[in-house]
Amino acid sequence: MNVVGIIAEFNPFHSGHAHLIHRAKEITGSEYAVAVMNGSFVQRGEPAVFSKYDRTRAALEGGADLVLELPVRFGISSAGDFALGGVMALSSLGFVTHLAFGSEEGEIGPFQEAASALSQESEEFRRILSRSLREGLPYPAARARALAETSSVPPSLQEQPNNILGVEYCLALKKLRSPLIPVTIPRTGMGYHDTASTDGAAQAAHPSATALRERICQAGTPHLTLEDFGSALDYALLADTDLSRYKDISPDLAGRIRRSLPDHRTIQELIEHCRTRAFTDGRIRRGLMQCLLGITDAAPSMPYLRLLGLRKEPAEKGVSPLLSQTPDSCQILSRLAADVKKLTPGALSLFQQDLFASELYRQTWCRKYGVHLPNEYQHSPVIIAQWRH
């Protein structure tokens, strides 16, 4: 039986995501789709606009059969580590057969070619990469230049957001020697960063997550932003004497943050003060959040996965029995009070980081909107009853 895996943020979940899930099932002949999703914070170093449970419910209603949480160490990281964590998570389950992702390219061949070139870097590739970094290019741009000058990979593969992630997914499959079969679904509708479209039909059918987040802000719909964590971020940055120990903060960036701390009024101002050609907004945001959450490196393994939700079907049917096939090396956390006691000390240390991130998000939401939300131990996985015809 085929089971397709998808790595996503669903921030927020929209019709384009539903299209991806349904097409992925069709193309791979899969009966079930498993989503590995960021929790409370997303890859570009910001809080998710809605809680992970709201996004899980939307994903289940939109066609996913099982949603698992990507540990925060991988979730707030560079594209390469984000992809590595997602592929590691899907591979660790033991029953996922395919990996599907959306792309602007729409064909899998170029992604596999790029991954092969990057996994076997030539001397010429490394020379161009080093020269580009010395010139002040950020690493992704420097690597893209080296790849473009040493291979026949289309430049667009290193320029469009979904294409960039697609390359990282295929590279992660090679690094991990994962048996997952990659497939890509052509992206339709609005572009990744578009907030407006000249094609009214495309905009109505598949708006971008960027456009939806903008509409959420304009409409005053309850949501969280990076500025809501401003005081906590300021405290974490002031209290820490060695910012360069965090994953995406180099000594140079650490110095820029230190010099900018006394004068900023908002987190966005701090980011603007630190921005250079080498330090993009995304990298700075990730570094700030890594400091707040204590993320110093990526975990070398996937010892557990948190169950966020699933479709429930008649006994002995559906995705639930698949979870029993997961190897002992990756524990599925569904009942925290009981399951956390079974974690090894190393796995428990990783989980406590996830727990802190979730609780910080929950408390910030409660203070902003004056509501009480259940904590992680009180919140059960989202379950949607589903009878297939």
Side-chain angles (χ1 to χ4, degrees):
M1 178 178 66
N2 288 344
V3 177
V4 65
I6 294 169
I7 304 164
E9 293 181 331
F10 299 147
N11 185 41
F13 189 89
H14 56 73
S15 58
H17 294 133
H19 171 76
L20 171 64
I21 293 171
H22 290 294
R23 286 293 292 143
K25 286 182 177 180
E26 290 176 359
I27 290 173
T28 63
S30 296
E31 189 172 355
Y32 301 108
V34 177
V36 172
M37 185 188 79
N38 270 31
S40 299
F41 296 89
V42 295
Q43 191 260 335
R44 64 184 162 277
E46 293 178 338
V49 289
F50 300 138
S51 79
K52 59 188 177 183
Y53 298 106
D54 288 339
R55 286 153 44 230
T56 293
R57 180 172 296 279
L60 293 172
E61 291 173 347
D65 299 283
L66 176 67
V67 181
L68 300 161
E69 182 176 356
L70 180 66
V72 70
R73 272 198 187 192
F74 292 105
I76 302 182
S77 193
S78 64
D81 283 341
F82 173 80
L84 188 70
V87 171
M88 193 183 299
L90 291 172
S91 301
S92 69
L93 292 171
F95 54 79
V96 179
T97 57
H98 293 73
L99 167 64
F101 59 90
S103 72
E104 292 85 3
E105 176 67 26
E107 298 288 340
I108 198 63
F111 292 101
Q112 293 176 313
E113 181 183 352
S116 294
L118 292 171
S119 64
Q120 301 173 359
E121 296 178 356
S122 64
E123 285 295 329
E124 179 69 3
F125 179 97
R126 288 193 287 268
R127 184 185 66 78
I128 297 171
L129 177 65
S130 297
R131 185 191 72 209
S132 301
L133 291 172
R134 288 194 301 271
E135 293 174 359
L137 284 182
Y139 181 81
R143 193 182 74 165
R145 174 192 285 180
L147 184 63
E149 294 185 18
T150 58
S151 74
S152 60
V153 173
S156 62
L157 229 60
Q158 294 289 288
E159 296 170 354
Q160 299 294 330
N162 289 288
N163 284 350
I164 292 171
L165 266 179
V167 171
E168 298 295 351
Y169 291 144
C170 290
L171 183 57
L173 290 171
K174 285 187 173 294
K175 286 180 178 179
L176 297 172
R177 297 182 179 179
S178 171
L180 300 183
I181 301 169
V183 296
T184 188
I185 315 298
R187 183 183 176 89
T188 59
M190 295 175 68
Y192 186 90
H193 290 301
D194 288 349
T195 57
S197 173
T198 56
D199 184 345
Q203 182 174 357
H206 300 308
S208 69
T210 303
L212 289 175
R213 288 193 295 271
E214 185 174 280
R215 293 178 199 171
I216 287 166
C217 293
Q218 292 173 347
T221 305
H223 69 285
L224 294 184
T225 71
L226 191 60
E227 297 297 341
D228 294 320
F229 297 82
S231 296
L233 277 166
D234 284 343
Y235 176 81
L237 294 168
L238 287 167
D240 203 297
T241 58
D242 183 16
L243 295 178
S244 62
R245 67 194 179 98
Y246 297 105
K247 195 168 178 299
D248 283 343
I249 302 182
S250 66
D252 186 10
L253 179 54
R256 289 180 175 277
I257 293 172
R258 285 277 179 230
R259 292 190 294 272
S260 301
L261 272 176
D263 301 320
H264 74 284
R265 293 173 299 173
T266 65
I267 297 302
Q268 184 57 38
E269 278 191 9
L270 176 62
I271 293 169
E272 290 170 359
H273 291 166
C274 296
R275 183 193 301 140
T276 68
R277 190 182 185 193
F279 301 134
T280 62
D281 286 19
R283 174 164 177 189
I284 297 167
R285 286 194 301 265
R286 284 195 299 272
L288 297 179
M289 289 306 305
Q290 288 164 4
C291 174
L292 179 58
L293 300 177
I295 300 172
T296 56
D297 53 23
S301 62
M302 194 67 61
Y304 67 87
L305 284 169
R306 175 76 188 279
L307 174 64
L308 292 179
L310 54 79
R311 288 176 184 251
K312 187 175 182 180
E313 298 186 34
E316 303 305 321
K317 292 184 179 181
V319 75
S320 300
L322 292 177
L323 294 174
S324 63
Q325 301 177 29
T326 304
D328 294 338
S329 57
C330 182
Q331 184 178 346
I332 303 298
L333 307 181
S334 57
R335 297 179 178 85
L336 288 191
D339 293 339
V340 168
K341 297 176 182 178
K342 303 173 186 176
L343 292 174
T344 65
L348 181 60
S349 177
L350 292 177
F351 173 72
Q352 287 173 338
Q353 207 166 53
D354 291 340
L355 192 64
F356 176 75
S358 298
E359 185 62 12
L360 179 64
Y361 186 97
R362 186 190 73 84
Q363 289 190 9
T364 303
W365 187 287
C366 289
R367 289 196 179 99
K368 184 174 183 178
Y369 293 109
V371 298
H372 173 76
L373 299 175
N375 64 36
E376 291 298 282
Y377 283 88
Q378 297 168 331
H379 212 304
S380 300
V382 177
I383 297 177
I384 292 182
Q386 176 81 24
W387 288 77
R388 293 175 186 256
H389 300 286

